[in-house]
Amino acid sequence: MVDANLVCKTSDTLLTAMELINKNAKGVVFVLDQDEKLCGIATDGDIRRALLNGFKLQGQIAQVMNTAYVYARDTDGEHDMLSKINYKVKIIPIVNESMRMVDYFEFKQGIRVPVAEPALNGNEFSYATDAILSTWISSNGKYIKLFEENFSQYCGCKYGAAVSNGTTALHLALLALNVGQGDEVIVPDLTFAATINTVLHAQATPVIVDVEEDSWCIDPKEIEKAITPRTKAIIPVHLYGQPCNMAEIMRIAKAHHLYVIEDCAEAHGAEYGRKKVGSFGDISCFSFFGNKVITTGEGGMCLTNSSELNDRMRVLRDHGMSKTKKYWHDMVGYNYRMTNIQAAIGVAQLEHIGELLYKRNELELQYNKALAPVKGIELQKRNLADRKKITWLVSILAPGEKRDQLLNLFNENGLEVRPFFYPLSQMDIYRKYGFGDLSVSRKISAKGINLPTTLNIKESAIEKIKELLIKNI
Ligand SMILES: *Cc1c(COP(=O)(O)O)cnc(C)c1O
């Protein structure tokens, strides 16, 4: 049954209608005729305007109500209902075949604030269309070279090899450095699984170490402890936009003759000591998946300053085919190429990466200001020495015992949030690769929440998040 405060009769007065609106707090009242059929809708605005035009409070609502209203049928699906509502029409009645009101549909019920959303408001459409019209839609074409040049330059690297995604980028980097069977590769416990999966794809042995308490990134002290004569590489992951301690990691790598492959999938544009992440390692890997800072739909890139490594990656991503002798294969290669259409979108994304990062940062500041008074939560650190983080997903730590309940509450309220990654070492398939004490990553993982970081978020959504946190911690 529909709430009695939501409906009135044609014979009711404007005053009665206003009282009902006051009680139902929906801003509208639905008007029924003598046969209980829906015949009109009056909003608080309709009544206010009527009063200003000389109608009396004792006048009949029937003379004021809107008869050309939007409604849904009880046979309509959710999608049909969603298409009928918007910021102006926030609530619509649902009627059966005899125009009896059976329910209502509200804007709030359908709206979701996504955790991430691509911003394709630059030249993305235009360049992608250009790529299509040129018929160079596969992995040759001008945008590939342009994207590789522009992105490597943006990161302060000499060469870029565009690939099909961030995972193939990591695999390609390991292959190019000849990391394989018998080699150990040190990875952080707190990361997306692609970091460790690619080590296993390369048939090397991952060694999982703990992260730092303040940055949530791989702990250089733990790297040092985990080094053995078989260690060949380290994969630092700049997690949730925060750069790793690259000075220490590069010092350790140099001292022990280890390769460094930076996993920059979550930190495009972040800096360590005024140098962009991705410019430190032997090879660095980026992802352009749809939820990353810039996107090509699916896509990735390997950056390097070594022309030999760049050449090797270009051969390996293209079936291992010789660059001088077509269909002659010197290496067992892969098809890890990016398409020209993806690269076209990437070129356009890169044109406004500065603006995107600025707006993302502003959003994080807005969150931090709103959430500063909330007791019991911890915001991601923004001021670690030498590090200039970027905002990928706004991230907070909440009390561990409340975290899952908070995740549910946010999702029920249309606010899409995510828990942090599970520690790799907690999952059965990776457990045996854990090294030493991994308690910091466990603690952080159990507390972490990624908040909606779409640039289209409304201030009211941030206020709602604040309110839910205050009420439920
Ligand atoms: C997204 C991500 C990847 C993988 O990138 P894909 O393009 O999705 O394959 C690798 N590492 C980290 C840390 C990531 O967040």
Side-chain angles (χ1 to χ4, degrees):
M1 240 342 266
V2 183
D3 179 355
N5 290 322
L6 273 170
V7 291
C8 70
K9 293 240 184 310
T10 43
S11 54
D12 281 335
T13 63
L14 267 59
L15 182 62
T16 306
M18 278 173 73
E19 285 169 341
L20 287 168
I21 291 173
N22 194 41
K23 280 191 214 148
N24 70 34
K26 301 282 185 200
V28 296
V29 65
F30 301 101
V31 188
L32 310 182
D33 66 17
Q34 294 106 313
D35 297 322
E36 300 274 316
K37 290 183 182 179
L38 185 71
C39 63
I41 296 181
T43 67
D44 49 2
D46 293 333
I47 298 172
R48 189 170 57 242
R49 276 185 294 277
L51 290 171
L52 289 171
N53 284 332
F55 275 82
K56 296 278 171 283
L57 278 172
Q58 297 307 326
Q60 280 194 359
I61 194 69
Q63 292 174 291
V64 168
M65 71 187 187
N66 202 331
T67 51
Y69 52 87
V70 181
Y71 65 92
R73 295 268 181 201
D74 56 358
T75 48
D76 285 350
E78 193 187 21
H79 185 79
D80 297 313
M81 297 196 193
L82 265 174
S83 69
K84 289 179 180 173
I85 56 168
N86 54 49
Y87 286 104
K88 279 178 84 181
V89 181
K90 289 201 179 83
I91 179 167
I92 56 171
I94 302 174
V95 298
N96 63 17
E97 77 270 26
S98 47
M99 281 310 277
R100 294 246 155 74
M101 189 175 161
V102 292
D103 202 348
Y104 61 90
F105 189 78
E106 232 180 340
F107 189 62
K108 195 175 98 227
Q109 293 174 333
I111 198 169
R112 285 196 69 75
V113 182
V115 73
E117 193 174 22
L120 305 173
N121 52 340
N123 286 319
E124 289 80 2
F125 185 74
S126 150
Y127 294 173
T129 309
D130 181 50
I132 291 169
L133 294 177
S134 77
T135 75
W136 293 95
I137 61 171
S138 210
S139 46
N140 283 312
K142 68 175 183 190
Y143 287 108
I144 307 251
K145 187 161 174 277
L146 204 54
F147 188 37
E148 288 177 338
E149 283 174 2
N150 293 358
F151 191 70
S152 53
Q153 191 185 14
Y154 173 77
C155 296
C157 271
K158 275 197 193 147
Y159 309 102
V163 292
S164 48
N165 57 61
T167 308
T168 51
L170 286 164
H171 190 210
L172 192 65
L174 289 159
L175 294 166
L177 293 167
N178 261 321
V179 176
Q181 205 148 34
D183 298 327
E184 288 175 1
V185 179
I186 300 175
V187 300
D189 198 19
L190 198 58
T191 181
F192 181 58
T195 316
I196 189 169
N197 283 346
T198 51
V199 175
L200 293 164
H201 296 163
Q203 280 161 14
T205 306
V207 178
I208 302 168
V209 303
D210 209 355
V211 297
E212 296 176 316
E213 182 103 37
D214 54 0
S215 71
W216 312 338
C217 294
I218 194 164
D219 187 339
K221 291 192 295 295
E222 297 301 311
I223 295 176
E224 248 174 338
K225 287 187 214 161
I227 291 171
T228 74
R230 288 180 303 281
T231 309
K232 190 137 178 200
I234 311 166
I235 310 185
V237 180
H238 308 296
L239 194 76
Y240 300 133
Q242 185 79 269
C244 298
N245 183 343
M246 290 316 293
E248 266 304 282
I249 292 167
M250 295 314 292
R251 182 193 65 74
I252 295 165
K254 206 164 171 200
H256 297 270
H257 308 288
L258 305 176
Y259 293 126
V260 173
I261 300 170
E262 286 177 77
D263 184 340
C264 308
E266 303 179 0
H268 314 62
E271 291 176 18
Y272 183 89
R274 294 177 172 257
K275 264 183 76 180
K276 287 228 166 55
V277 301
S279 63
F280 294 88
D282 296 278
I283 300 176
S284 8
C285 303
F286 287 82
S287 164
F288 307 115
F289 183 64
N291 67 5
K292 309 288 165 138
V293 168
I294 59 169
T295 184
T296 59
E298 294 275 2
M301 202 181 295
C302 291
L303 303 184
T304 184
N305 284 319
S306 150
S307 70
E308 294 93 83
L309 286 175
N310 181 45
D311 290 344
R312 246 178 95 72
M313 291 194 288
R314 284 166 183 281
V315 171
L316 279 164
R317 80 169 169 187
D318 191 16
H319 302 286
M321 200 180 339
S322 162
K323 287 291 168 204
T324 46
K325 193 168 164 186
K326 211 153 170 69
Y327 303 116
W328 186 261
H329 298 258
D330 300 308
M331 288 184 268
V332 180
Y334 299 78
N335 177 354
Y336 281 173
R337 298 175 308 234
M338 176 183 270
T339 70
N340 197 41
I341 305 176
Q342 290 170 304
I345 297 170
V347 170
Q349 285 271 280
L350 199 54
E351 285 175 352
H352 58 131
I353 191 172
E355 185 199 343
L356 291 173
L357 286 172
Y358 175 79
K359 287 184 175 166
R360 283 175 167 274
N361 185 53
E362 289 292 302
L363 177 58
E364 184 175 347
L365 291 173
Q366 195 187 343
Y367 260 114
N368 286 4
K369 200 169 156 210
L371 301 185
V374 182
K375 294 202 179 61
I377 66 160
E378 229 179 285
L379 308 168
Q380 188 179 16
K381 301 253 183 315
R382 291 177 53 89
N383 53 0
L384 297 175
D386 301 319
R387 310 189 210 201
K388 191 164 160 234
K389 80 179 281 289
I390 55 105
T391 306
W392 178 44
L393 297 177
V394 173
S395 306
I396 61 166
L397 303 183
E401 71 282 5
K402 301 272 175 67
R403 201 273 305 264
D404 290 351
Q405 180 204 342
L406 286 167
L407 291 175
N408 286 337
L409 265 171
F410 284 132
N411 281 313
E412 281 162 15
N413 280 277
L415 301 156
E416 195 180 295
V417 294
R418 299 187 350 186
F420 274 18
F421 300 120
Y422 291 101
L424 295 175
S425 64
Q426 267 187 347
M427 293 179 258
D428 284 344
I429 50 172
Y430 309 124
R431 199 182 305 275
K432 61 173 177 279
Y433 305 116
F435 173 86
D437 183 7
L438 297 157
S439 55
V440 179
S441 96
R442 298 218 166 169
K443 191 174 75 182
I444 290 164
S445 163
K447 293 175 161 204
I449 302 176
N450 299 121
L451 298 173
T453 315
T454 164
L455 294 177
N456 297 319
I457 196 167
K458 300 260 178 312
E459 200 176 331
S460 58
I462 297 178
E463 283 305 309
K464 182 83 194 166
I465 288 168
K466 173 184 177 180
E467 183 193 313
L468 287 171
L469 286 169
I470 289 176
K471 279 197 188 142
N472 296 286
I473 290 184

